[in-house]
Amino acid sequence: TEGPAMTDDPAMTDDPASPPQSPQTSPRPARRPNFYGRTRGKTLKPNQRRRLAEDLPALVPAGIRPGENPARRPVEAAAISGGAPLWLEVGFGAGEHMVHQAARNPGVKILGCEPFVNGVAMALGKIAAAGVENVRIYPGDVRDIFEVLPDACIARAFLLYPDPWPKARHHRRRFVTPQYLAPLARVMAPGAEFRVASDIADYIRQTLEEVPPAGFACLTPHEAEQRQPWPDWTRTRYEAKALREGRTPRYVTFRRD
């Protein structure tokens, strides 16, 4: 998840027992450990609140809308993609990459998951400005999506600048652990591409250790390869911050076995 800095406050890193409900938040089991940080930031601007109220509902596919499918009934991939190849972005931050890919690839449908409400609001503005129509959004935890998607339905997945959880005792919260990678592998089609970008060397180390045993082949095992961005890459605000602060981005590509 491209998102805000981590905090040691349990109220910000775990879901509280009774989280505030709104159209932009999804019901989740109490205190389920998260791989992302807080879900709200600065007060939203009026136009952002308007986009959340008016634009977001049409972009959340039926069957995965927050609160709509409490029994976690399976959802057909075609109901989301309309029969087009379905790509998944885990934590789209402010939406720069997601909208960029949607504009470059009008023949695919991109499903972006992001629990940070401010990021969702910013992404909605970018979607409107770009005029793309092949983006769908789930404004919540991607694990809710894993619970309802069928096997082998994702043709490409992205994990870009996820929350690093730098302290060793928090490494179990990173997305690149079996509790997240196993359901990701289940929904990805054989041969599907999984892209991971991070500016945190230890996150890349753990990625290279944990992702292959989950059912993926690493296509960029050498550091020199990992320093080259993908040909269709676009710089996000989180990458720009990493470069300003002297950290080196790495780009790792895997293929689902």
Side-chain angles (χ1 to χ4, degrees):
T1 301
E2 291 195 277
M6 295 297 93
T7 172
D8 287 335
D9 181 358
M12 299 297 283
T13 55
D14 286 333
D15 289 313
S18 299
Q21 295 297 307
S22 76
Q24 290 79 47
T25 59
S26 60
R28 296 187 293 272
R31 300 194 65 80
R32 179 167 66 172
N34 291 331
F35 63 93
Y36 52 85
R38 58 201 172 105
T39 59
R40 289 181 179 273
K42 297 179 181 179
T43 301
L44 296 171
K45 298 176 182 178
N47 67 318
Q48 292 178 322
R49 293 197 299 270
R50 178 182 57 78
R51 290 196 185 283
L52 287 170
E54 298 178 3
D55 296 355
L56 179 60
L59 298 181
V60 183
I64 67 169
R65 292 188 178 95
E68 184 182 82
N69 191 358
R72 300 294 193 262
R73 295 183 180 87
V75 174
E76 293 293 330
I80 302 173
S81 68
L86 182 60
W87 293 3
L88 174 69
E89 185 158 340
V90 179
F92 54 73
E96 300 102 318
H97 176 267
M98 179 175 66
V99 173
H100 170 77
Q101 291 289 354
R104 285 181 56 97
N105 300 279
V108 308
K109 192 66 64 70
I110 301 179
L111 173 61
C113 300
E114 177 57 61
F116 189 53
V117 174
N118 300 62
V120 173
M122 287 186 281
L124 292 172
K126 292 179 174 63
I127 290 169
V132 294
E133 299 181 350
N134 55 331
V135 173
R136 295 296 178 266
I137 288 178
Y138 181 71
D141 194 321
V142 71
R143 287 173 291 185
D144 300 335
I145 301 301
F146 290 154
E147 290 176 359
V148 300
L149 283 180
D151 293 351
C153 67
I154 299 296
R156 182 173 294 181
F158 306 93
L159 177 69
L160 308 174
Y161 292 92
D163 289 314
W165 295 103
K167 295 183 179 180
R169 69 177 184 271
H170 292 154
H171 287 184
R172 64 184 176 84
R173 291 183 179 271
R174 290 175 171 175
F175 186 89
V176 289
T177 53
Q179 63 178 321
Y180 306 114
L181 293 172
L184 173 68
R186 181 189 68 79
V187 301
M188 291 191 69
E193 189 174 279
F194 177 38
R195 296 182 178 183
V196 181
S198 178
D199 59 310
I200 305 300
D202 190 66
Y203 202 102
I204 294 296
R205 173 202 59 77
Q206 187 171 349
T207 297
L208 294 171
E209 290 178 0
E210 301 266 17
V211 175
F216 296 84
C218 183
L219 304 183
T220 52
H222 305 296
E223 183 173 345
E225 299 171 296
Q226 297 163 12
R227 289 176 179 265
Q228 299 299 316
W230 300 286
D232 58 354
W233 175 246
T234 186
R235 181 166 294 169
T236 69
R237 60 179 180 147
Y238 297 104
E239 179 168 283
K241 178 181 178 182
L243 292 171
R244 286 196 305 270
E245 296 177 357
R247 294 187 298 275
T248 301
R250 302 264 288 277
Y251 313 88
V252 187
T253 306
F254 297 93
R255 183 185 62 239
R256 179 71 172 96
D257 291 339

